[in-house]
Each structure stands twice: as C-alpha cells, then as structure tokens.
C-alpha cells in the first residue's frame, strides 16, 4: 500500500524529474558563470555571457544590462543579446517614464506581462532597433547596497508569464554581473591611477635631469673662478674663498646625485662589462673617502683579501655603489667614529660589507631605505642632507650585476651594508688563490 504522498510523487514522477533536470542545468550554468567571474577580466565578454545565460535560463527572447550614467542620470545599455547591440549602445533610457527606471529607483524586481498596459513603458528603445517588446522581467543590480543598474529579460517564449522562479534566477545573474562590473571598474580606476602616477614620475624625472643639467654649467663657472681667485688670494680672503669652494662642492654632490637619477630606470643603465679587480676599485674609492672621513676624525679601515678577486662588470658603476655607501657611512657616523670596508668570498660570490658605528637604522626601515627618495629622517628636521637616492641607485646597479644588497643595523650602534656579486675568477677561500674559473 502506498501513502498519498508517494502516490503524488508517482503520479507527478515525470514532471518532477523534468523539474529536477531543469534545476540541475540552471545550477550548472551558474557554476560556469561563477568560474568565469574569477577567470576573466574581459568585462564585455563576461557580461555578454551573463545575459545570454540569463535569457536562456528564464526562457526569454532577449536580455540586456542597463547601467546608470551618473553624469546624466540616465540608463545606458552595457550589454544586450542579439544583433542590435551597436545601435543599443547609443540609446539612453530615462529613469522617469520607463520600467527599467522604476526598477532602478525602487530597487524592486518587476514582472510586466504586457507592456501595452503599462504606462511606464518607454517605447524609445523598441523604435530605435525595430523590436517588439511584449513582456518584461527586470531586477535591480547592486553591489554592497549601492544600486548600479538593471538586468532585464524580454518576451518569455510561448507568451507564458514570467514567474517568481524566473525572478530568483535573474536576481542571481544580476548579482554576478554587478560584481563583475564593480571589479572591472576598480581595475580601470587602478589602471588610470597607475598611468597618471607613471606620467608624474616621468615628468619628475625629466624635471630633475633638466634642472641638474642647467645647474651644472653655472656651478662650473663658480668653481673655476673661485679656484682661480683662491690661488691669488690674500690670507684674509682665502678663507672666504674656501667657504665658496666648499659650498660649491656640496652643490656639486647634489647635482651628481640628480644626474644619477636615471640609473633608477633599469633600461637606462648601460653596463660596460669588463673584467676588473675588485680590490683595485675599492682602494681607489676609499682613497678619496679617507680624506673626507679624516676631516671628521673618523677612521676608515679596509679589510681586503690579498689575492685579486676578478669581477666581470662595470667597474665605474660598482665604484658608484661604494661611493654611495661610504658617503652614507661618513655622513651618518659622528665625529671620531669608525668605518670599515671588508670583503669576503665564498663559492663563486663575493660579499662587500661597508660598516660604521654611527646612528644606525630602525629595524622597520631597513627595507624602505632602498626606495627612491626615502629617508629615515623627516625632511623638515634633516641634519644629514642628501636626496634619498644613493641606496636606490646602488640597489639597481647591484641588481644589474646579478647581485643582492641589504642592510643590517642596531639602532644607535651602527649599520652594515652588504652587497654580493658573482666572481668571474673563483678564489679558494682557504688560500685566497684563484682556482678554476666558475
Ligand atoms: P640619502 O643618504 O641621500 O638620504 P640614501 O638612499 O643613500 O639617501 O639613504 C637613504 C636613507 O637611509 C638615509 O637618508 C638614511 O636615513 C638611511 N641610511 C643610509 N645609510 C645609512 C647609514 N650608514 N647609517 C644610518 N642611516 C643610513
């Protein structure tokens, strides 16, 4: 004996199976849309797929997405099925006096079985694309409580009225579309902001290279005349001229940094790679810095392995890296401090460390100091000068040599900057004697 419920299921078995099959097909389509949402940033492709699927799922002749143009307060077609897409893109739908407009304004779905009996129906769209609208199902589209448009399905096949199940399906599709549109808008905004930033960065770099070029010539004249006058100056005026030359020297250092700004753009670094002995370059750079450190009663010590270490690279650019590191070490170490350049090598790489016992760097800043123009010191209370470019340039040059650079520090006790480079001629660590090239 079967219960009445079982009988009902038996009786409606075929219909029940068809219903389940339809549901499974709908879910399948929605899962596909969900996957697509995560896999493509091509908005028009996605929206077209959403409305095609929406029309299919609710059994409508066509479907369209209308979005609000915030400038004009009208709806425009962001996507539509069928061949009239191009024409539709030019059509605007007013918020007042249209079914889509009232769905947008009220935020409620609407089913209209016969638009002829609805005074809100806006006939402008049908006229412009020679289409005949019979019935409409429309749902609002919103993201995080912000309404952005309307999704409509038109003309249910066989003139059956749209029902609540259709409202549910279309609402799900509308929320998919709304997320896709919002994401695409965010990406577009980010791309635009990025484009503007790049443009500003380009303008800033152009300005700096023009300014440094324009400053160089008058500075050379000042330096030339001041040196000339200094040679013939009396004891009274020679001190004044020394001051002029010292000031001009500082200005020259700033201009040099400005000129080196283009090294931050990897494309504008042209390396003239040649074999050179690292110790020779270090000795050459250190000679100049010994005098400058001496002026601050600082001791500059070198700890270099006796056997030559050969690097295949641009000696001039590596000298620039050392210059920038020593410049910082001298500036950020008080009078009487200690600075050391040490070299160690190991399995095909050499590490150069420039250490000081100066003011040190807070732990949280050890990465950021390599960013262009970044300085630990607030520029309003600066005591140490500089443009914040030295380390950024050093990093770029070291990268170009297939090396790494980083900083270690204990705040208040000093800093150590280490950069590594591949060795052209391997040197055995124990003997410091060259072995097979590696
Ligand atoms: P600049 O020295 O012109 O400011 P850099 O890019 O060479 O630019 O250095 C960035 C910042 O890193 C410096 O302003 C300073 O705050 C910090 N810094 C670099 N080297 C040292 C150092 N040896 N000791 C302490 N702070 C340092």
């Amino acid at each position: 004996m079967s219960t009445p419920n079982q009988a009902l299921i038996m009786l409606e078995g075929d219909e029940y199976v068809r219903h389940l099959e339809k549901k499974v097909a709908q879910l399948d389509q929605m899962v596909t849309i969900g996957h697509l949402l995560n896999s493509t940033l091509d908005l028009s492709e996605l929206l077209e797929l959403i409305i095609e699927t929406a029309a299919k799922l609710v059994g409508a002749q066509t479907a369209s997405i209308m979005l609000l143009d915030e400038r004009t307060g009208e709806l425009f077609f962001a996507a539509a099925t069928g061949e009239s897409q191009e024409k539709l893109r030019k059509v605007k739908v007013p918020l007042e006096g249209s079914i889509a407009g009232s769905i947008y304004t009220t935020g409620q779905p609407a089913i209209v079985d016969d638009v002829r009996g609805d005074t809100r129906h806006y006939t402008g769209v049908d006229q412009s694309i020679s289409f005949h609208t019979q019935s409409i199902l429309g749902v609002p589209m919103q993201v995080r409580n912000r309404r952005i448009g309307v999704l409509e399905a038109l003309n249910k096949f066989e003139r059956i009225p749209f029902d609540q199940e259709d409202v549910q399906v279309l609402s799900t599709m509308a929320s998919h579309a709304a997320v896709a549109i919002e994401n695409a808008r965010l990406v577009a905004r980010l791309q635009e902001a990025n484009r503007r930033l790049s443009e500003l960065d380009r303008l800033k770099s152009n300005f700096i290279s023009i300014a440094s070029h324009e400053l160089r010539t008058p500075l050379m004249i000042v330096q030339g005349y001041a040196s000339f006058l200094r040679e013939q100056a009396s004891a009274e005026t020679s001190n004044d001229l020394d001051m002029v030359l010292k000031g001009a020297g500082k200005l020259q250092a700033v201009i040099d940094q400005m000129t080196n700004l283009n090294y931050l753009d990897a494309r504008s670094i042209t390396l003239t790679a040649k074999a050179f002995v690292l110790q020779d370059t270090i000795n050459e750079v250190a000679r100049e810095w010994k005098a400058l450190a001496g002026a601050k009663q600082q001791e500059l010590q070198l700890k270099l392995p006796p056997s030559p270490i050969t690097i295949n690279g641009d000696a001039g650019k590596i000298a620039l890296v050392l210059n920038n590191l020593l410049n910082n070490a001298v500036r950020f170490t008080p009078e009487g401090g200690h600075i050391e350049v040490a070299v160690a090598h190991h399995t095909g790489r050499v590490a150069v460390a420039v250490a000081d016992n100066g003011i040190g760097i807070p732990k949280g800043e050890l990465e950021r100091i390599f960013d262009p123009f970044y300085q630990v010191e607030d520029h309003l209370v600066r005591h140490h000068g500089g443009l914040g470019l030295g380390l950024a340039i050093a990093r770029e040059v070291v990268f170009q040599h297939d090396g790494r650079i980083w900083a270690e520090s204990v705040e208040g006790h000093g800093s150590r900057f280490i950069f590594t480079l591949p060795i052209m001629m391997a040197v055995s660590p124990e003997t410091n004697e060259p072995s097979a090239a590696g």
Side-chain angles (χ1 to χ4, degrees):
M1 273 286 287
S2 60
T3 65
N5 260 349
Q6 279 170 323
L8 190 70
I9 291 171
M10 297 273 285
L11 261 182
E12 297 181 352
D14 276 357
E15 205 182 326
Y16 188 63
V17 169
R18 270 202 304 279
H19 177 74
L20 279 182
E21 278 173 354
K22 191 175 149 202
K23 276 277 177 209
V24 169
Q26 281 179 351
L27 282 173
D28 248 11
Q29 302 259 29
M30 286 188 191
V31 169
T32 309
I33 300 278
H35 283 317
L36 261 163
L37 258 183
N38 296 325
S39 66
T40 178
L41 274 179
D42 185 339
L43 182 66
S44 54
E45 185 194 335
L46 192 65
L47 292 187
E48 267 169 41
L49 198 100
I50 286 175
I51 53 171
E52 256 174 43
T53 315
K56 233 189 272 170
L57 289 179
V58 299
Q61 183 183 353
T62 185
S64 57
I65 286 172
M66 281 164 267
L67 297 179
L68 184 75
D69 180 338
E70 281 171 6
R71 278 176 309 119
T72 62
E74 291 172 314
L75 295 166
F76 67 94
F77 284 86
T81 53
E83 284 131 33
S84 316
Q85 293 191 38
E86 277 316 304
K87 278 191 194 159
L88 274 176
R89 285 192 200 285
K90 294 181 196 122
V91 179
K92 305 279 179 229
V93 178
L95 279 187
E96 291 211 8
S98 72
I99 294 171
S102 85
I103 294 167
Y104 179 87
T105 318
T106 61
Q108 295 300 320
I111 296 177
V112 180
D113 294 336
D114 188 346
V115 293
R116 283 171 304 182
D118 195 313
T119 51
R120 296 170 302 175
H121 181 52
Y122 176 66
T123 51
V125 182
D126 281 1
Q127 280 162 13
S128 57
I129 59 164
S130 313
F131 184 79
H132 176 66
T133 305
Q134 168 75 31
S135 58
I136 293 182
L137 161 60
V139 295
M141 289 170 53
Q142 54 186 52
V143 214
R144 288 187 292 274
N145 295 334
R146 196 165 50 81
R147 219 160 290 146
I148 61 166
V150 174
L151 171 61
E152 277 189 350
L154 307 182
N155 300 351
K156 182 134 173 144
F157 286 126
E158 296 163 10
R159 298 197 171 223
I160 316 169
F162 288 108
D163 57 21
Q164 283 310 312
E165 202 178 306
D166 296 332
V167 173
Q168 241 180 28
V169 170
L170 209 65
S171 299
T172 309
M173 301 307 274
S175 52
H176 278 318
V179 169
I181 289 166
E182 188 67 359
N183 285 348
R185 281 177 174 172
L186 287 176
V187 169
R189 244 180 268 155
L190 271 178
Q191 281 169 338
E192 175 58 15
N194 197 22
R195 195 193 57 72
R196 278 199 212 165
L197 274 178
S198 308
E199 177 60 11
L200 276 178
D201 194 51
R202 194 186 62 77
L203 288 174
K204 179 207 68 197
S205 302
N206 275 358
F207 170 76
I208 292 180
S209 53
I210 292 170
S212 60
H213 188 259
E214 290 299 309
L215 287 171
R216 200 171 283 281
T217 318
L219 180 64
M220 275 165 63
I221 296 173
V222 170
Q223 282 175 317
Y225 276 97
S227 308
F228 175 68
L229 290 173
R230 169 78 177 74
E231 277 167 26
Q232 308 163 13
S234 63
E236 282 159 50
T237 50
S238 71
N239 273 354
D240 298 343
L241 284 161
D242 280 343
M243 295 290 279
V244 172
L245 283 167
K246 202 171 158 201
K250 281 190 175 166
L251 196 52
Q252 167 137 36
V254 174
I255 295 172
D256 285 347
Q257 288 240 13
M258 287 163 77
T259 315
N260 289 337
L261 180 71
N262 64 339
Y263 285 176
L264 289 182
D265 178 5
R267 286 162 303 181
S268 57
I269 299 189
T270 38
L271 291 183
T272 32
K274 231 168 79 182
F276 70 93
V277 173
L278 183 64
Q279 286 96 324
D280 293 349
T281 304
I282 295 176
N283 279 320
E284 217 169 285
V285 173
R287 201 170 306 134
E288 207 175 302
W289 283 102
K290 263 194 176 140
L292 292 161
K296 277 183 88 178
Q297 286 83 49
Q298 294 165 336
E299 189 193 4
L300 171 56
Q301 212 181 19
L302 305 185
K303 282 192 181 161
L304 310 180
S307 297
I309 297 176
T310 312
I311 305 285
N312 185 27
D314 192 322
K317 301 276 188 321
I318 296 299
L320 180 67
V321 173
L322 282 162
N323 258 313
N324 291 354
L325 296 182
L326 282 168
N327 182 335
N328 286 343
V330 169
R331 275 189 306 131
F332 294 102
T333 303
E335 295 210 342
H338 183 82
I339 298 163
E340 181 186 282
V341 181
V343 170
H345 50 83
H346 185 63
T347 56
R349 293 189 89 77
V350 62
V352 182
V354 178
D356 63 60
N357 61 353
I359 62 169
I361 301 158
K363 205 167 185 312
E365 311 271 9
L366 287 173
E367 286 282 329
R368 295 204 65 191
I369 51 171
F370 289 92
D371 290 346
F373 302 107
Y374 189 82
Q375 299 182 307
V376 174
E377 217 171 23
D378 190 323
H379 73 281
L380 295 174
V381 293
R382 282 168 5 121
H383 300 297
H384 297 95
L387 290 182
L389 285 173
L391 292 178
I393 290 168
R395 181 174 61 178
E396 202 51 55
V397 170
V398 171
F399 277 1
Q400 290 290 310
H401 280 82
D402 200 15
R404 275 186 63 219
I405 184 167
W406 69 95
E408 297 167 354
S409 176
V410 178
E411 199 180 354
H413 294 278
S415 319
R416 180 193 299 272
F417 287 80
I418 301 130
F419 68 91
T420 61
L421 297 171
I423 299 176
M424 190 184 179
M425 184 76 78
V427 187
S428 125
E430 293 80 25
T431 61
N432 277 339
E433 288 304 324
S435 60

